[in-house]
Amino acid sequence: MRAADRSGARIALVAGDRDIEAGTVGVKSLSTGEQVDVAANSVVVEVISRLT
């Protein structure tokens, strides 16, 4: 997370073992710390909506 924060990224994607098993990916806002889990097949839509 530090590297993403230092790079100026606005969001980070988090996928641990449990996420992968569940078919989800965490989408975390680096400015607020808020993280939501979304279905893996919806990650692109979620990222685009947060960046626009």
Side-chain angles (χ1 to χ4, degrees):
M1 288 297 161
R2 285 186 206 157
D5 215 10
R6 279 183 276 175
S7 76
R10 293 171 38 196
I11 60 169
L13 301 180
V14 181
D17 291 338
R18 291 186 188 140
D19 298 306
I20 292 168
E21 288 176 16
T24 62
V25 175
V27 179
K28 183 172 185 171
S29 168
L30 296 178
S31 62
T32 66
E34 174 194 12
Q35 180 173 325
V36 295
D37 293 328
V38 298
N41 61 358
S42 300
V43 171
V44 172
V45 172
E46 180 70 23
V47 169
I48 290 171
S49 73
R50 288 175 176 256
L51 293 177
T52 57

